[in-house]
Amino acid sequence: MLEADTASADLGIEVLRARNGQAVARMRVTGRMVNGHAIAHGGYLFTLADTAFACACNSHGPVTVAAGAEISFVASALLDDELTAVAEERTTFGRNGIYDVTVYRDTPRGRDVVAEFRGRSRTIAESTDSRSTA
């Protein structure tokens, strides 16, 4: 799945780990990602969190997609910040799942949380070879 994800690749998102319902992804805020307030555009933060979410919920094997997601912006991300998104499965039920993603930057004082994301997943097929969508 990740090999075909040109959107994440074009943003420089690197997935460091994805297994057992968890994933870690990283991205540096570039000049193209900064808005008119000189902070990272929220859409890029969402994309980083969404990539970690996608990798976590697909780490079990079956094809799984987002059924919905929301994000809360906690602090501004700035030019050249290296952001890390940590996704963790909270629960699964039937073909559904709930995942939380924390986006943060490391500072000399420790981790500075930038955003909190909650994603809802839906498994749609047994494997990438299957074309079922129900």
Side-chain angles (χ1 to χ4, degrees), residues 15-108:
V15 176
L16 306 176
R17 182 174 65 251
R19 64 178 176 270
N20 301 323
Q22 299 178 333
V24 178
R26 182 172 51 202
M27 175 185 81
R28 182 169 301 279
V29 178
T30 68
R32 291 186 159 288
M33 298 175 184
V34 175
N35 65 22
H37 297 295
I39 59 176
H41 188 289
Y44 292 108
L45 301 179
F46 188 97
T47 302
L48 172 62
D50 190 47
T51 298
F53 162 56
C55 290
C57 64
N58 279 279
S59 68
H60 297 297
V63 177
T64 304
V65 297
E70 62 183 51
I71 192 166
S72 295
F73 302 111
V74 177
S76 298
L78 306 172
L79 179 65
D80 289 328
D81 277 351
E82 184 171 82
L83 303 176
T84 302
V86 178
E88 295 185 13
E89 181 181 274
R90 293 296 176 224
T91 190
T92 58
F93 49 103
R95 295 187 298 151
N96 305 292
I98 297 174
Y99 293 76
D100 286 338
V101 183
T102 298
V103 178
Y104 68 88
R105 67 177 151 237
D106 285 317
T107 71

